[in-house]
Amino acid sequence: MSTQPMALRTARYAISLMFFANGMLLASWAARIPTIQQQLQLDPGPLGIALWGLAVGSLVAFSYVGWLIVHLGSRLTTTIAAIVCCCSLVLPALAPNLPLLWLSLMLLGMGNSVMDVSMNAQAASLEESYRRPIMSSFHGLWSVGALVGASGGSLMAWLNIMPLFHFLLVSGLLLLVVLLASRWLLPTTAKPSEKTPVFARPTKALLGLGIIGFCSFMSEGAMADWSGVYLHRSLGTSAGLAALAFAVYSLAMTVARLLGDSIAKRIGPVLHVRLGGLLAALGLGLALLFQQPILALVGLACVGAGLACMAPLVFSTASRTPNLAPGLALAAVATMSYTGSLVGPPVIGQIAELISLPYALGLLALLGLVIVLLAPTLARAPQLESKAAEVA
């Protein structure tokens, strides 16, 4: 680290703050969903409709974020999107009814998706300059931010602090953070005259990366919604123990992401993804086959550790796709990946309704094996060591 120029080290701190802020912001919102639901007196059905606003906003934004990065540069795009995210966090607390809540969440979803892809583009450019894996550390800090946001949100809810005051506090703090960090993001050059498509049509290499991302994100989404339900309803644990399911999964994912760069440097991205997919499949198999609460928690920790570095490795590889602008490639792969997180929870729910929840979750173990089979896709892009040391 000490051998890197000061500008690159400063940029790494700045990008890390952006990832941390994004994770904290989204987790702060998620922690207050029950309170918002109570304030607006929404039944589960209408609440589900409102939450679809996030998904719709995300999908809309993914269609043009690559174009924005090419024409504005990832530095300006990240900064604008971060400001939009911070400001739009307050809107759900101000919404007086379901339609306005939906619109506020759509705006939050759009800002988050643009920030997500553009800050990953910043991270990918910096990774090329370092010429060694550093992407997982950024995603690890996103997870740390999410843990901080979720913990703070839980504390606010326990203290009966109104969501509006909570969101104003978080958005004001994070707005200062992102404005400070934006000064030291990597400088990028906008190319307004360059004729680039709004959305990158997936090449064969991008398609493979997108499928890996889809499988990983589908599993992540399902774990968030169904891991606790599995322990409580299928294994008969207490609600308190069931609540540990996602916490154990998230903690394992955070630790694995913080260690991910050193692992990727030692064994390479292909073997890293292959072992991660295998660990996720085996961990879920352990949780489902033995049906013991403690073994289930161990298995869920394995799933979290196995899936931890899928996103950073896939996004990093996508950014180095030959003959395609990094922002466009990232947007294409991100769209396929995040679609998995949208369809995962409802698909698992429908299969559980038709058969049983353990069998439905068994589908995710098969997705882990799909990841193992597609791991060689990551070898199609140039490796970091072969890239010129330049800041895009």
Side-chain angles (χ1 to χ4, degrees), residues 290-301:
F290 292 94
Q291 297 192 345
Q292 295 292 327
I294 299 303
L295 291 179
L297 290 175
V298 172
L300 292 174

Side-chain angles (χ1 to χ4, degrees), residues 159-207:
L159 294 174
N160 291 319
I161 303 297
M162 297 299 293
L164 179 57
F165 179 80
H166 174 204
F167 291 165
L168 283 171
L169 180 64
V170 171
S171 62
L173 174 64
L174 293 183
L175 188 59
L176 291 175
V177 170
V178 299
L179 288 176
L180 178 65
S182 66
R183 299 177 57 190
W184 291 287
L185 292 176
L186 284 177
T188 52
T189 302
K191 302 176 182 179
S193 61
E194 187 173 305
K195 294 183 179 180
T196 54
V198 175
F199 182 76
R201 190 178 73 177
T203 62
K204 185 177 180 181
L206 283 183
L207 183 61

Side-chain angles (χ1 to χ4, degrees), residues 259-332:
L259 297 175
D261 292 325
S262 60
I263 296 174
K265 185 177 180 180
R266 288 175 179 270
I267 66 177
V270 174
L271 183 56
H272 197 173
V273 167
R274 182 172 286 152
L275 292 177
L278 185 60
L279 180 61
L282 292 177
L284 197 52
L286 175 67
L288 296 175
L289 291 177
F290 292 94
Q291 297 192 345
Q292 295 292 327
I294 299 303
L295 291 179
L297 290 175
V298 172
L300 292 174
C302 291
V303 176
L307 297 177
C309 296
M310 297 298 168
L313 289 170
V314 164
F315 289 169
S316 174
T317 303
S319 71
R320 301 193 302 276
T321 302
N323 304 317
L324 189 60
L328 289 171
L330 278 169

